[in-house]
């Protein structure tokens, strides 16, 4: 049971470098989202997608881009990494939007990113 | 201002004891409330999900309660085990999004 798969698990970047965090799900879920988790804070929404070809910004979108060319994949791109982007990133997917009744949301294992 | 507040921030209990974690929220409109367990270095895993019409839901030794009038929820863990050591996160949904609490860090000691 693959569920939600994130790669890589760990990454160190230099300031100004760019990279893509990969997220794939095999549950045919329409809704996918990216979050960052910082110490002492709840997860914060970066970007989300309600289906292939549709993306929208969340609470903290600056410095990140996303695309959704297929139902399965939802990559997150860091355009020019900054130390403030040091965080743990989680991808999540669900059959429908999180507000739908009894919609289960599944999370990947996370990517720990350090920007030096 | 965080719309989901959890208490306590951290808790240490002895194996076999019970404990209760609290969640207060101001998210509006309200659709559902979830409790997640997050082991160190792992992603959150769902424990329960409740809509506004549900007062309680159980998942094994985990029982969640919801009072939609006072906007409070609790997670009760019965007969704790060492494997219960984790962060427990309360998540409240409105329409399209999820609002996360900062979590309660539970440590179960032998």
């Amino acid at each position: 049971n693959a569920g939600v798969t994130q790669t890589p698990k760990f990454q160190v970047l230099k300031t100004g470098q760019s990279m893509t965090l990969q997220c794939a799900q095999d549950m045919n879920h329409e809704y996918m989202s990216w979050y960052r988790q910082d110490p002492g804070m709840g997860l914060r929404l970066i970007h989300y997608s309600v289906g292939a070809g549709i993306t929208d910004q969340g609470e903290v979108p600056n410095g990140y881009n996303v695309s959704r060319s297929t139902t399965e994949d939802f990559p997150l791109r860091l355009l020019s990494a900054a130390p403030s982007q040091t965080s743990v990133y989680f991808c999540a997917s669900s059959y429908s939007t999180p507000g739908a009744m009894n919609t289960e949301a599944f999370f990947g294992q996370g990517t720990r990113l350090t920007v030096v | 201002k965080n719309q989901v507040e959890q208490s306590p921030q951290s808790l240490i209990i002895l194996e076999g004891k019970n404990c209760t974690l609290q969640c207060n929220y101001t998210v509006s409109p309200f659709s559902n409330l979830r409790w997640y367990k997050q082991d160190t270095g792992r992603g959150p895993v769902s424990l329960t999900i409740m809509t506004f019409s549900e007062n309680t839901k159980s998942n094994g030794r985990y029982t969640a309660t919801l009072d939609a009038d006072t906007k409070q929820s609790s997670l009760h863990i019965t007969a704790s085990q060492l494997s219960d050591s984790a962060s427990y996160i309360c998540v409240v949904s409105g329409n399209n999004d999820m609002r996360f609490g900062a979590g309660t860090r539970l440590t179960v000691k032998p």
Side-chain angles (χ1 to χ4, degrees), chain A residues 36-115:
Chain A
R36 60 178 289 171
Q37 186 175 38
D38 299 298
M41 301 178 69
L43 276 73
R44 291 181 292 168
L45 181 64
I46 303 171
H47 286 284
Y48 66 96
S49 169
V50 297
I54 306 169
T55 64
D56 207 344
Q57 296 181 351
E59 182 183 356
V60 288
N62 292 342
Y64 308 95
N65 273 358
V66 292
S67 60
R68 185 94 181 269
S69 57
T70 66
T71 299
E72 294 78 20
D73 300 297
F74 191 44
L76 178 72
R77 282 184 288 277
L78 279 71
L79 307 174
S80 176
S84 61
Q85 294 178 305
T86 293
S87 187
V88 182
Y89 291 84
F90 288 98
C91 178
S93 77
S94 55
Y95 180 75
S96 183
T97 59
M101 292 177 64
N102 293 319
T103 292
E104 194 66 70
F106 297 87
F107 287 82
Q109 294 301 297
T111 294
R112 184 173 293 273
L113 176 68
T114 302
V115 182

Side-chain angles (χ1 to χ4, degrees), chain B residues 30-68:
Chain B
F30 171 83
S31 293
N32 56 54
L33 185 147
R34 301 175 173 88
W35 282 94
Y36 281 89
K37 178 186 180 187
Q38 184 178 21
D39 292 313
T40 300
R42 312 278 287 186
V45 175
S46 178
L47 294 174
T48 64
I49 178 170
M50 291 182 291
T51 62
F52 65 89
S53 61
E54 296 175 290
N55 301 116
T56 185
K57 184 163 281 189
S58 292
N59 179 359
R61 294 179 297 102
Y62 301 100
T63 299
T65 65
L66 173 64
D67 186 334

